[in-house]
Amino acid sequence: MDPSVRQTIEALARHFDDHDDRLGLTPHEQWTLQVLKLAEETGEAAQAVIGARGTNPRKKHIPADWSDVHAEVADVVVTSLVALQRMRPDDAAAYLREQLASKAEKFLPAPAAPAEPRAV
């Protein structure tokens, strides 16, 4: 992850931790609320898709296009990264790398083995 992105995510996580600490919330309460925030952001992304597709006649007054979807998906990503950082402040980046490698191994084809040199 780009160092400036990681630093921003870490700063956001600290900011929200400090806010919730002042409210007297336990770590597990903070994590629960952060995951609920993630669910909210996902719902907003879904709503943007419905708007972009124009499939909800009750919402004709709410214009949306795919750029709105892109922004909402980015909000989901940021909220997810902040949630992971809040839950795993000591190793969030390493944990994310491990999870990404695991998913890649599961879903992506194995890289081709280098061809052996042929004898001439």
Side-chain angles (χ1 to χ4, degrees):
M1 182 182 314
D2 180 279
S4 66
V5 172
R6 185 172 0 144
Q7 290 169 352
T8 301
I9 295 299
E10 289 170 353
L12 286 167
R14 283 191 306 274
H15 173 76
F16 295 128
D17 284 344
D18 291 345
H19 175 267
D20 288 352
D21 287 344
R22 285 192 300 277
L23 293 175
L25 299 173
T26 68
H28 288 115
E29 290 171 321
Q30 293 178 31
W31 300 348
T32 300
L33 292 169
Q34 186 71 38
V35 171
L36 291 173
K37 179 63 177 170
L38 176 58
E40 176 196 12
E41 295 296 347
T42 303
E44 290 175 7
Q47 183 179 10
V49 168
I50 291 168
R53 299 289 300 176
T55 56
N56 187 347
R58 295 184 312 110
K59 304 274 184 165
K60 282 185 180 180
H61 64 282
I62 302 175
D65 61 31
W66 286 100
S67 66
D68 297 319
V69 177
H70 303 166
E72 294 299 342
V73 169
D75 284 349
V76 171
V77 172
V78 170
T79 303
S80 298
L81 291 171
V82 170
L84 186 59
Q85 181 65 39
R86 292 182 77 188
M87 289 186 235
R88 300 184 69 103
D90 297 328
D91 71 344
Y95 184 79
L96 179 59
R97 276 192 302 277
E98 291 169 9
Q99 291 299 307
L100 183 58
S102 173
K103 301 302 183 224
E105 183 178 319
K106 182 176 179 180
F107 294 107
L108 298 177
E116 292 190 29
R118 294 182 357 186
V120 194

